[in-house]
Amino acid sequence: MVCVALLALAHKAGGMTRGHWKTLGCAALLFLVNIAIVMKLFVIEYTREMGSIEAAYIGLARYVANHWNDLGWFPLWYGGIPYPDSYPPLLHWLCALMVTVTHVSPALAHHFVTAVFYCLGPVTLFWMAWRLCRSRECAFAAAFFYSLISPSCLLIQTIRVDADGFLSPRRLRSLVLWGEGPHVTSMCLVAFAVGMLHVALEKRKPWYWVGAAVSIAAVPMSNWLGGAALAICLAGYLAAGFPSGQKTLPILLRSLAVGLYAYALAMPWLSPHTIAVIRANAPRVATYFKSTPQQRLLLALIAAIYLIGAWAMERFKVPRHTRFALFVSLITGSVTLVRYWSGISLFPQPERYHLEMDMFFWVAAAFLVWPAVRWLHLSRRQAIGAAIAIMLLCVPVVKKQRRESRWIERTLDITTTIEYKTSKWMEANMPGARVFAPGTIGFWLNAFSETPQITGGFDNGILNQTIPHVIFQVYAGERQKDMLDLLNTFGCDVMIGGGKDSAEVYHPIAHPEKLDGLKVLWRDGPDAIYEVPRRNKGLAHVMRKSDLPEYPLFPYGFNVLIPYLDGLKNPEYPSAGMKWQAPSRATVTADLKPDQIVSVQMAWDKGWNATVGGRAVPLWGDKLGQMVVEPQCSGPCTVDLLYDGGTEGKLARVIHWLAVLAGIFWIAITIWRKRLGSTITN
């Protein structure tokens, strides 16, 4: 069905020609080769790779399947974040849709969907290469070798060791061991997006323009690295002079229009707010990435090579498809190899682009070698014989990768893991209580329950910039008092932890002895759930403005917390109750005095609104990055909290739906005019 869809997008409506069937056959063969390698992944639920970040993606799929009607605020990670900041949502939507329709587990849905995209990656690469070079055989060769061999294993020792050899299935290891499901998905979509833009620029029909915009929007909607890779590919595509026979300025303007339309379609989930959050966190997540003189020198050198290469290829009339492949390979290859060979990062997380380097290496190799193959003037029988011989030589590679895939995809009984046990205990005994869950316990916590936590699964999406410092201090700090002060300040009722013998994978708590003396609520061997002493459980607390910190916690230190902690412990303040009506709606009830406020230990965002009896009341963020409400009540009071995304969120949704309706109307009116013209002619 996928292959048929690709052909339908690539060709005008009409009967299937012999060439169409050949293209479909090549795509099907590539799909089957990849299925042969990852067959078990389609039916597997949980692998032994408990340290994989795929746990967080499984949790997101579970959450979406349970909350299709409210994807505004995401209260489960980092003290709360807007849902678009949790992760680009496309893959998780597809997994959640499978969960909703088939009622399988989120883990099985995640593995099935990512296995499909894994197998489709070479198919879309073949289709893109075929559209660009117009040689089915050349495109098939590029996609076939991409399916089996990763050049990064040969060029980079670290990757070769991690992959266990040159002929290992590197993409599969990245997918399962490192949880690169969204990245692998975006790579499949990158090739399709480039191919669709090429088709749109050639055919210039409304359905192709809209299809190109949707495919471009889908890439960053699945993974931010994929979005960067797409930008590199589109820059290489335009620099190569595609499509031929058209003026440069109209091509640039049309491409820009498609890009703007794609952004309009994706704006609710890739808004300026979300982009700003990702940018704020990216340097820290990428080991505190920053610009250096060596980096700038290397970037200048690469830019010079790029320009010289562009001039030389234009001078010697290198085909445009070869220029494109070389341009993209130069950027992805240089970024990756410079990082691994010299340790210098040209931009954040460059080591992860080795997957894109592998992909476009084979495209460039095929485009460069194919003219020499054609120069041999092989007869049809000789060409078929050579192709069969090459594929037979690759049979041992497929067998080896199948053996390795069975080892990579080993299963386990998830109910025996500490991650599952702690999550289920929290769900059964302390529903709704916020927890500090370390390492893989935090990764897996929301794959099995909707227990809110102060950690999470996607550090790039942290809204409250105090939270990373809090997590670091709880992990690395030596004093129990400092740990408890932080956990109280940020609304944690319990702490999960263990020592060197913990069943958790990463053991991030540097001084587990600071847990000694805390009340144990549940224990399983070296791991335990500890109670955090608090006067009032929950996230809402009555106090006065004078109790709020006057300065940020970092860099000013723990002393700024003293008034706030005293306010939390003050027995003269009444208790407040907070109840979630939905992920984006909550109510706080308390018996208040006019000069009292409510501190809500949830990350503050402009999209939150507070009302009392329909009357808007002030809501703002304190120095800790948490919400403060001024109810201005005397006596029993109910504060209604609603997250609607604010002005930016509302505007983004309006732009999205206008773009959707405009695309539908444009296609419909074009078809109607065409049919009307045909009727008048007849």
Side-chain angles (χ1 to χ4, degrees):
M1 293 298 295
V2 174
C3 299
V4 172
L6 288 174
L7 288 174
L9 288 169
H11 298 282
K12 294 179 180 179
M16 292 285 287
T17 67
R18 184 178 179 183
H20 294 165
W21 284 112
K22 287 181 179 180
T23 304
L24 180 61
C26 290
L29 180 57
L30 289 167
F31 194 68
L32 291 173
V33 167
N34 284 270
I35 285 179
I37 296 171
V38 301
M39 186 178 298
K40 190 177 179 181
L41 196 60
F42 285 92
V43 296
I44 201 170
E45 196 166 20
Y46 299 100
T47 74
R48 293 180 181 268
E49 302 303 325
M50 294 300 291
S52 172
I53 195 62
E54 74 173 17
Y57 308 143
I58 293 169
L60 286 172
R62 182 184 187 277
Y63 179 84
V64 173
N66 292 335
H67 299 285
W68 283 110
N69 61 331
D70 187 348
L71 295 176
W73 185 254
F74 185 64
L76 302 187
W77 289 356
Y78 307 116
I81 54 177
Y83 171 74
D85 297 358
S86 65
Y87 203 89
L90 181 59
L91 174 63
H92 314 128
W93 286 351
L94 295 174
C95 295
L97 181 62
M98 183 176 176
V99 171
T100 302
V101 172
T102 66
H103 304 292
V104 299
S105 72
L108 177 56
H110 175 81
H111 288 135
F112 181 89
V113 174
T114 53
V116 169
F117 278 108
Y118 180 97
C119 296
L120 280 177
V123 175
T124 59
L125 185 70
F126 157 74
W127 182 73
M128 178 201 74
W130 171 61
R131 294 301 310 183
L132 296 181
C133 75
R134 305 309 304 172
S135 171
R136 191 179 297 107
E137 296 81 3
C138 176
F140 179 82
F144 181 76
F145 285 109
Y146 167 62
S147 300
L148 300 179
I149 300 174
S150 297
S152 59
C153 292
L154 176 64
L155 298 171
I156 304 167
Q157 183 180 7
T158 303
I159 292 178
R160 182 164 61 253
V161 172
D162 181 69
D164 194 27
F166 173 59
L167 296 179
S168 294
R170 178 60 190 172
R171 276 192 305 139
L172 181 61
R173 282 182 172 269
S174 297
L175 174 60
V176 179
L177 274 65
W178 302 110
E180 288 277 40
H183 192 184
V184 169
T185 300
S186 70
M187 289 170 59
C188 171
L189 296 173
V190 161
F192 186 65
V194 173
M196 278 303 304
L197 178 63
H198 184 70
V199 171
L201 288 170
E202 282 189 331
K203 298 181 179 292
R204 289 184 278 180
K205 301 292 185 181
W207 38 91
Y208 294 121
W209 293 122
V210 173
V214 170
S215 62
I216 289 171
V219 177
M221 283 279 288
S222 57
N223 181 255
W224 286 105
L225 266 75
L230 177 62
I232 293 171
C233 290
L234 295 182
Y237 176 87
L238 295 173
F242 275 117
S244 60
Q246 298 186 30
K247 294 182 179 179
T248 302
L249 183 59
I251 291 175
L252 292 176
L253 292 176
R254 289 166 186 153
S255 300
L256 177 62
V258 171
L260 292 174
Y261 182 57
Y263 182 65
L265 292 173
M267 186 174 285
W269 306 278
L270 305 177
S271 67
H273 174 281
T274 296
I275 294 172
V277 169
I278 299 300
R279 288 187 62 187
N281 288 295
R284 175 181 50 79
V285 174
T287 61
Y288 294 95
F289 171 84
K290 62 180 181 180
S291 178
T292 65
Q294 296 93 331
Q295 178 202 76
R296 292 191 290 271
L297 179 62
L298 283 171
L299 284 172
L301 178 61
I302 292 169
I305 294 173
Y306 193 99
L307 293 173
I308 293 171
W311 173 83
M313 285 187 279
E314 176 66 26
R315 173 70 175 77
F316 294 102
K317 306 299 181 183
V318 175
R320 285 180 171 80
H321 57 271
T322 305
R323 299 185 205 180
F324 160 76
L326 290 174
F327 284 151
V328 178
S329 294
L330 171 64
I331 298 175
T332 57
S334 59
V335 164
T336 303
L337 296 177
V338 165
R339 171 59 182 170
Y340 278 106
W341 289 353
S342 71
I344 298 175
S345 298
L346 299 181
F347 50 74
Q349 302 186 63
E351 62 278 358
R352 295 179 65 187
Y353 290 93
H354 74 276
L355 297 177
E356 282 83 2
M357 181 186 77
D358 286 347
M359 182 165 69
F360 283 97
F361 171 91
W362 285 116
V363 176
F367 287 175
L368 286 170
V369 171
W370 197 250
V373 173
R374 296 184 63 180
W375 178 79
L376 295 175
H377 299 296
L378 297 177
S379 66
R380 186 167 178 268
R381 180 176 297 180
Q382 290 172 326
I384 293 174
I388 292 174
I390 291 172
M391 284 191 281
L392 289 175
L393 289 173
C394 290
V395 169
V397 178
V398 175
K399 288 184 176 180
K400 180 182 187 301
Q401 294 191 0
R402 287 193 64 183
R403 287 195 302 270
E404 291 200 20
S405 69
R406 286 193 291 270
W407 183 88
I408 294 169
E409 297 159 355
R410 292 170 301 159
T411 61
L412 87 167
D413 181 358
I414 195 66
T415 62
T416 65
T417 64
I418 191 64
E419 291 83 3
Y420 179 87
K421 293 176 182 178
T422 51
S423 179
K424 285 300 182 182
W425 189 92
M426 288 296 303
E427 181 182 48
N429 296 278
M430 299 185 70
R434 183 180 288 171
V435 57
F436 188 100
T440 56
I441 296 176
F443 288 174
W444 285 97
L445 184 70
N446 301 123
F448 311 118
S449 71
E450 292 198 7
T451 301
Q453 57 176 317
I454 205 68
T455 50
F458 182 57
D459 285 1
N460 277 302
I462 297 176
L463 176 64
N464 184 350
Q465 292 300 305
T466 306
I467 294 294
H469 300 286
V470 172
I471 296 171
F472 175 79
Q473 288 295 328
V474 174
Y475 280 160
E478 299 181 21
R479 300 202 311 166
Q480 184 184 91
K481 181 182 182 302
D482 293 342
M483 177 187 75
L484 294 179
D485 286 348
L486 290 172
L487 296 178
N488 261 283
T489 299
F490 289 89
C492 292
D493 293 317
V494 298
M495 165 86 184
I496 303 175
K500 296 179 180 179
D501 299 327
S502 170
E504 188 273 329
V505 173
Y506 293 114
H507 305 137
I509 302 175
H511 300 280
E513 64 274 8
K514 66 189 171 189
L515 300 172
D516 296 343
L518 297 179
K519 181 180 178 180
V520 177
L521 302 177
W522 175 87
R523 178 175 290 280
D524 182 30
D527 297 289
I529 298 176
Y530 300 90
E531 182 180 37
V532 175
R534 305 179 74 199
R535 184 176 79 90
N536 293 317
K537 303 293 184 183
L539 302 178
H541 306 275
V542 177
M543 56 181 64
R544 289 184 169 87
K545 283 185 180 181
S546 58
D547 298 318
L548 297 174
E550 295 184 17
Y551 304 99
L553 175 58
F554 301 98
Y556 288 92
F558 288 91
N559 286 339
V560 305
L561 295 180
I562 293 175
Y564 186 75
L565 292 169
D566 289 342
L568 292 176
K569 298 173 185 176
N570 192 334
E572 297 181 1
Y573 292 150
S575 298
M578 182 172 175
K579 183 177 180 181
W580 289 97
Q581 310 298 327
S584 300
R585 297 193 306 277
T587 57
V588 177
T589 56
D591 193 348
L592 298 171
K593 296 179 180 179
D595 65 335
Q596 290 177 333
I597 61 172
V598 178
S599 171
V600 182
Q601 293 167 323
M602 183 71 63
W604 176 78
D605 183 82
K606 292 181 180 179
W608 279 105
N609 304 283
T611 58
V612 175
R615 168 178 58 90
V617 296
L619 183 151
W620 41 279
D622 63 14
K623 297 296 183 179
L624 300 173
Q626 300 187 132
M627 289 196 294
V628 178
V629 184
E630 296 184 62
Q632 302 168 352
C633 290
S634 180
C637 184
T638 298
V639 180
D640 295 305
L641 299 174
L642 173 66
Y643 182 80
D644 60 11
T647 303
E648 181 180 299
K650 294 175 183 177
L651 182 61
R653 291 191 290 273
V654 169
I655 292 173
H656 165 77
W657 285 111
L658 287 176
V660 170
L661 294 174
I664 294 173
F665 177 78
W666 188 20
I667 293 173
I669 197 69
T670 302
I671 294 174
W672 178 77
R673 285 178 176 176
K674 185 176 180 180
R675 289 182 176 178
L676 181 63
S678 177
T679 302
I680 294 174
T681 302
N682 292 334

